[in-house]
Amino acid sequence: MTQRQSIPSGTPAGVRAPASPASPASRGGFWLVGTILVLLMLSSSAPSALYVLYQEKWQLSYGMIAVVFGVYAVTVLAALLLFGSLSDSVGRRPTLAVSLLLALISMLVFAGAQGLVWLLVARVVQGLAVGLATGALGAALLELAPPARPALGAQVNSLGPTVGIGLGGLAAGVLVQYAPAPTALTFLVLAVAFAAVLAGLHRLPETAPGVGGPRRIVPHRVRIPAGIRRRFLVLALSIVAVWSVGGFYLSLGPKLALSLLGSTDHLVGGATVALLAIGATLMQLLLVRFAPLRTTLLGLGLLITGLGLVLTALYASSAPLFLLATVVLGTGWGGAFLGAFRGLVGLGRPEHRGELTAAVYVFGYLAMSLPAVLAGVLSARYGLHDTAVAFMAVVAGLCVLALLATARLAARTTATEGTTATEGTTATEGAAGTEGTTATQGTAGTEGATATQGATATEERKAP
């Protein structure tokens, strides 16, 4: 006879209790989820190093390449908004299983691609996989984080994407340059990796508290509460600037680096994406304990510096300066995004946090896709070099605007906090003074009453 497992009193009937993060299975599951996150992001950036080959092989224009990139970002956003909370009811493990299966299919479509339509289909399927997994991955990392290191889940969730993007660009660059059949081999290797992770997914403990309840698809509501819209829009400027740069680099950056070098070494193209991601990762590690507004300001300053160096490199046609500028740009990218994202999510009350996060994703993914597509279309007409100069100049102007607006917001926030602290101190001193006066009056009254009673008693004793 098997012993029946008890369900905690706080768990509704029919709903399975989540696993404890202290168990060995949970510890292994935490790193499995982290691996899935890095692998998905790695596969999403791998095509960046291959776009040059696709252009040469199928005579694709810059605009077509940008559309292939942009359709991925839009699909991720759509899947995230529609299915972002699906894992709360069906479970983290089933949601991730479907996501990994879609990712595996997209890799096989990439490997057998015969033209533009194949690339678009592969990117759409890949976007669905990433969008479906994003909510489940973020929740699972927080739920499975070791009790001794509760912040580790949030750290892996924020660092995983940039680490994966960097590894994807570098690994794809190596395979393109030195391995046979790179447009197929790169994705076949990734398909094997996804299959291996999918096979081991049964070991992942289920942590979703709502598993066993009603299964519903509840799209994320996108809403910005009226009281915080001005602050939201100020910080959203940084999100738009950051992801405009990211979208350009992930779609057209490798080709730009190769043209500046006058080289056919595709490792350089992959390294361009990797350098951007490495700079972002290092800056996020350094600034993790800084206040959001200070982090945003520092990131925007570095972003402006990096964009200035990129413009100088493009003007001088200097590949070494372009690569150095990319690292600086990456540090600004990581800092500005980290600060702005933390500041935006922390603006609203807990019941509005999901709506705010959805709004941040809308701004981020649209900024990553639409400017990149526009840059690709303009590159086909005016050339990649001139378009890159104009693009970086516009983004630099947006960064300056964001920097000024954020500095003003930070000053007003500091002044408000100072006023609140002063009012609090005054109120405390006033209360203390009132209590002191009352106590003094009470003491005086008591002493007066005692003296009067004493005098009355004396006179009564003296009376005949």
Side-chain angles (χ1 to χ4, degrees):
M1 180 183 289
T2 57
Q3 187 177 2
R4 185 178 177 181
Q5 205 172 15
S6 62
I7 298 176
S9 58
T11 304
V15 177
R16 188 166 47 200
S20 168
S23 65
S26 294
R27 288 195 294 271
F30 175 83
W31 293 113
L32 176 61
V33 173
T35 301
I36 294 172
L37 173 61
V38 172
L39 187 58
L40 282 171
M41 294 298 101
L42 189 155
S43 68
S44 73
S45 67
S48 296
L50 296 164
Y51 287 148
V52 177
L53 293 183
Y54 294 142
Q55 280 185 288
E56 296 171 354
K57 187 176 182 181
W58 297 317
Q59 306 302 311
L60 301 181
S61 67
Y62 292 120
M64 292 176 181
I65 290 297
V67 168
V68 171
F69 172 79
V71 75
Y72 161 78
V74 172
T75 308
V76 172
L77 176 61
L80 182 61
L81 293 179
L82 287 174
F83 308 116
S85 60
L86 183 63
S87 70
D88 292 337
S89 58
V90 305
R92 314 296 183 215
R93 189 166 54 211
T95 303
L96 290 176
V98 174
S99 170
L100 288 171
L101 183 59
L102 288 172
L104 174 58
I105 292 172
S106 71
M107 295 300 101
L108 295 178
V109 176
F110 266 124
Q114 299 297 318
L116 177 63
V117 175
W118 288 67
L119 295 182
L120 291 172
V121 171
R123 272 309 220 178
V124 168
V125 177
Q126 187 179 44
L128 288 173
V130 173
L132 183 63
T134 299
L137 289 170
L141 285 170
L142 294 178
E143 293 158 351
L144 293 170
R149 300 178 64 188
L152 187 61
Q155 291 172 358
V156 172
N157 196 30
S158 64
L159 294 173
T162 53
V163 170
I165 289 172
L167 290 176
L170 195 59
V174 170
L175 290 176
V176 168
Q177 184 62 31
Y178 300 111
T183 55
L185 183 61
T186 300
F187 299 108
L188 290 176
V189 170
L190 286 169
V192 171
F194 278 120
V197 174
L198 183 60
L201 195 64
H202 68 279
R203 299 181 181 179
L204 179 69
E206 186 54 69
T207 56
V211 175
R215 299 186 177 186
R216 298 179 302 168
I217 296 176
V218 183
H220 275 302
R221 183 182 179 188
V222 180
R223 190 174 75 89
I224 306 169
I228 62 171
R229 284 176 187 168
R230 180 175 294 181
R231 293 170 64 89
F232 183 94
L233 291 175
V234 168
L235 290 172
L237 285 174
S238 299
I239 296 291
V240 171
V242 163
W243 283 109
S244 295
V245 171
F248 183 91
Y249 261 81
L250 288 171
S251 58
L252 301 174
K255 178 63 176 179
L256 183 61
L258 288 175
S259 65
L260 284 174
L261 275 173
S263 171
T264 58
D265 188 343
H266 296 288
L267 179 57
V268 174
T272 303
V273 175
L275 288 174
L276 185 75
I278 288 170
T281 303
L282 292 176
M283 188 53 62
Q284 288 183 355
L285 287 172
L286 290 174
L287 300 180
V288 68
R289 297 185 184 277
F290 279 56
L293 288 180
R294 179 187 292 183
T295 303
T296 306
L297 288 170
L298 180 58
L300 287 170
L302 289 169
L303 203 60
I304 292 169
T305 303
L307 287 167
L309 290 173
V310 169
L311 287 170
T312 304
L314 292 174
Y315 179 78
S317 297
S318 172
L321 182 57
F322 178 77
L323 296 177
L324 174 63
T326 299
V327 176
V328 177
L329 202 59
T331 62
W333 181 38
F337 176 70
L338 176 66
F341 185 81
R342 286 170 53 198
L344 285 167
V345 174
L347 281 178
R349 297 176 181 177
E351 60 267 26
H352 295 144
R353 199 156 291 159
E355 299 171 347
L356 277 175
T357 303
V360 173
Y361 282 128
V362 169
F363 274 86
Y365 277 106
L366 289 181
M368 183 168 69
S369 57
L370 297 182
V373 171
L374 179 60
V377 171
L378 293 176
S379 295
R381 181 170 182 178
Y382 299 105
L384 180 58
H385 185 278
D386 291 345
T387 300
V389 170
F391 184 91
M392 295 301 172
V394 170
V395 175
L398 180 61
C399 287
V400 171
L401 179 62
L403 181 66
L404 294 175
T406 306
R408 184 179 178 185
L409 176 62
R412 287 167 53 191
T413 301
T414 303
T416 302
E417 291 173 351
T419 303
T420 303
T422 303
E423 290 175 352
T425 304
T426 304
T428 304
E429 292 174 349
T434 301
E435 292 172 356
T437 303
T438 303
T440 303
Q441 291 173 347
T443 303
T446 303
E447 291 174 350
T450 304
T452 303
Q453 292 171 357
T456 303
T458 302
E459 289 175 357
E460 288 176 350
R461 286 195 295 271
K462 288 180 180 179

